[in-house]
Amino acid sequence: MKKGFLLTALGAACWGFSGTCGQYLFIHAHISSSYLTTMRMLIAGGVLMIITFINSREMLKRLIQNKRDLLQLFIFAIGGLAFSQWTYLTAISYSNAATATVLQYLYPTLLVILTCLKDHRFPQSIEVLCIVLATLGTFVLATHGHLSRLNISMQGLLWGILAAIAACSYTLTPVKLMHRYGSLPIVSLGMMIGGLFMGIAFQSYKHIPALDISGILAMLAIGLIGTALAFTMYLFGVSTIGAIKASMLASLEPVSAAICSFFWLHTTFQFTDFLGFFLIMATVFILAKAKEKAQ
């Protein structure tokens, strides 16, 4: 259990660190979010495919032979994984790693709203509280309490909200596939498919940036540490401490992104930024605790 808690926390911290690496590349290498998404997915997908081939070869073979499930995987890879990675990294390019990460964490509240619409019911009192907190947190983060102006760019806000919507798709679309084949074959093959799609769709191979050694290291850190290693550690955590506790520990991601951005890139934050962070992230804990109590 202790190992599960530790590795889950480290996985979340690695996700936050990868966001800051992305911010570094946007600032110093003027790299595009589409190219970074392509490389992140291909690097991570390649590493995870090797692990999958070693540990889950039969499941991978079964998946490839099932045309219907393979089609569903393509939908997840493009509409879930690639869309989520691209919108998140684009949000970072227009704001910063910490703000983009927190805005992405609006997705649990969006899932509540989608569930209420799907079930044709009004939200429960605790769900109403989370919707209010998430809305208020987004308002504080975007405006710092001033109705007449935005504290972050409109592009940063919109891409951050799109990243939250994409995270909903990323969360919902692979559920049945993961039950059938396990998480590793789905994510590893999904990463490869999504990376290839992004590379072809945006012709990333025609816009290869000239990176110095620090840029190459940041790129590798995003793919290896911030994606492949982070996913592996988080997956182990889910298997040992459960999805609910793991989802709460995953909230360390924006904390890690904020700390790395502050000390490495000297990103400045105000009290109202932290207030917005707190209001949005509180919804993750409230919803997780409510789900744990219900179970």
Side-chain angles (χ1 to χ4, degrees), residues 3 21 30-31 57 80 94 98 100 108 113 126 150 160 174 181 189 208 214 223 240 243 245 253 272 283 295:
K3 188 177 180 181
C21 288
H30 306 291
I31 199 170
R57 190 181 308 179
Y94 283 113
I113 296 170
I126 199 164
L150 284 176
Y181 302 100
L189 192 54
I208 300 174
S214 64
T240 52
K245 289 184 176 66
E253 181 185 355
T272 42
T283 64
Q295 288 184 352

Side-chain angles (χ1 to χ4, degrees), residues 6-284:
L6 177 62
L7 289 180
T8 305
L10 284 174
C14 287
W15 277 329
F17 170 68
S18 74
T20 311
C21 288
Q23 185 179 339
Y24 173 82
L25 286 168
F26 292 135
I27 294 171
H28 295 282
H30 306 291
I31 199 170
S32 70
S33 59
S34 57
Y35 179 82
L36 184 54
T37 303
T38 301
M39 294 307 299
R40 176 180 190 171
M41 296 187 76
L42 290 178
I43 293 170
V47 173
L48 292 174
M49 279 295 291
I50 293 171
I51 298 172
T52 304
F53 194 74
I54 294 170
N55 296 327
S56 306
R57 190 181 308 179
E58 286 304 314
M59 286 294 186
L60 188 63
K61 186 178 178 182
R62 277 179 50 201
L63 172 61
I64 293 172
Q65 290 174 343
N66 190 315
K67 292 181 180 179
R68 178 178 292 181
D69 287 346
L70 198 58
L71 176 61
Q72 192 174 345
L73 177 64
F74 268 85
I75 294 170
F76 164 64
I78 297 168
L81 270 173
F83 185 42
S84 176
Q85 297 288 334
W86 178 49
T87 52
Y88 170 62
L89 289 172
T90 306
I92 292 176
S93 72
Y94 283 113
S95 56
N96 58 69
T99 301
T101 304
V102 170
L103 286 173
Q104 187 184 44
Y105 270 83
L106 287 168
Y107 83 89
T109 305
L110 294 180
L111 285 175
V112 166
I113 296 170
L114 287 173
T115 302
C116 291
L117 292 172
K118 175 177 166 289
D119 296 341
H120 304 289
R121 66 172 177 85
F122 289 104
Q124 300 171 358
S125 56
I126 199 164
E127 293 171 337
V128 171
L129 173 63
C130 289
I131 292 169
V132 171
L133 288 175
T135 305
L136 184 60
T138 306
F139 169 76
V140 171
L141 195 61
T143 67
H144 281 192
H146 300 288
L147 291 171
S148 59
R149 62 181 174 84
L150 284 176
N151 181 60
I152 61 175
S153 69
M154 178 61 74
Q155 295 98 321
L157 178 61
L158 292 177
W159 280 104
I161 294 171
L162 273 176
I165 295 170
C168 291
S169 174
Y170 166 78
T171 305
L172 293 173
T173 50
V175 174
K176 291 181 180 178
L177 288 175
M178 286 185 176
H179 283 161
R180 231 172 260 146
Y181 302 100
S183 300
L184 198 54
I186 300 303
V187 174
S188 59
L189 192 54
M191 283 278 185
M192 291 300 297
I193 293 169
L196 290 170
F197 171 80
M198 288 293 296
I200 295 170
F202 290 94
Q203 297 185 324
S204 301
Y205 51 87
K206 291 184 178 179
H207 309 285
I208 300 174
L211 297 177
D212 57 16
I213 187 64
S214 64
I216 293 170
L217 289 174
M219 181 79 74
L220 290 174
I222 290 174
L224 298 177
I225 298 174
T227 309
L229 181 62
F231 168 76
T232 305
M233 290 191 292
Y234 183 76
L235 188 62
F236 177 84
V238 170
S239 68
T240 52
I241 66 175
I244 294 174
K245 289 184 176 66
S247 68
M248 287 191 278
L249 279 174
S251 301
L252 288 171
E253 181 185 355
V255 177
S256 169
I259 292 172
C260 291
S261 294
F262 179 78
F263 285 104
W264 180 16
L265 303 179
H266 308 295
T267 304
T268 57
F269 300 101
Q270 299 180 28
F271 170 76
T272 42
D273 290 315
F274 290 114
L275 178 60
F277 291 173
F278 172 78
L279 290 171
I280 292 172
M281 297 311 299
T283 64
V284 178

